Amino acid sequence: MNKLTRNRVLSSSLVSVVSFILLYAGVRFVLDHQISFNNILAYAGFSLLIGVIASMLYLFRPKLSLSIFLAGLLVGFVSMYRAFLADGSGWGDLAGLISLFFFVILGLITGLIVQLAYHLYEKFVK
């Protein structure tokens, strides 16, 4: 296994594990909900998807898209925890998860657009 592949696998695995832990801890300990096996499967599926996306974005050499995606993921988790902690009306769990998904998708789309703009700049301007 070459160095690029090893780094890509390590970074995507780390992103997957950290996102699973943050999602599990948020629901289990912050919201104090019981976690079923189906919940664990859903968290693992989401975390695996996040890891695969991070792995694919790692292939871009300047890694602008990966950095923006990870920033969107971080903002999403912060927003999710904030919504979980400010749960006054009972909708904080749903609002938190929706904000997590929103910021992850926003980070992915923004990262891809910035990466495309950078690629076009490198191709036509330089």
Side-chain angles (χ1 to χ4, degrees), residues 45-93:
F46 174 75
S47 300
L48 185 63
L49 178 65
I50 294 299
V52 167
I53 291 171
S55 177
M56 293 296 124
L57 294 177
Y58 190 84
L59 291 175
F60 294 128
R61 293 285 184 232
K63 297 180 187 65
L64 286 171
S65 57
L66 178 63
S67 300
I68 294 171
F69 173 70
L70 291 177
L73 187 63
L74 178 67
V75 169
F77 275 114
V78 168
S79 177
M80 179 188 79
Y81 275 94
R82 199 180 93 226
F84 285 176
L85 292 172
D87 185 25
S89 65
W91 289 91
D93 51 351

Side-chain angles (χ1 to χ4, degrees), residues 1-13 58:
M1 185 182 311
N2 65 11
K3 186 177 179 179
L4 177 65
T5 304
R6 184 176 48 238
N7 288 344
R8 190 176 80 205
V9 168
L10 286 174
S11 66
S12 64
S13 298
Y58 190 84

Side-chain angles (χ1 to χ4, degrees), residues 53 56-57 60 64-66 68-69 105-119:
I53 291 171
M56 293 296 124
L57 294 177
F60 294 128
L64 286 171
S65 57
L66 178 63
I68 294 171
F69 173 70
I105 292 170
L106 183 67
L108 177 63
I109 292 171
T110 305
L112 291 175
I113 290 171
V114 168
Q115 187 69 42
L116 176 66
Y118 181 78
H119 173 73

Side-chain angles (χ1 to χ4, degrees), residues 98-109:
I98 288 174
S99 67
L100 172 66
F101 297 148
F102 173 76
F103 283 111
V104 167
I105 292 170
L106 183 67
L108 177 63
I109 292 171

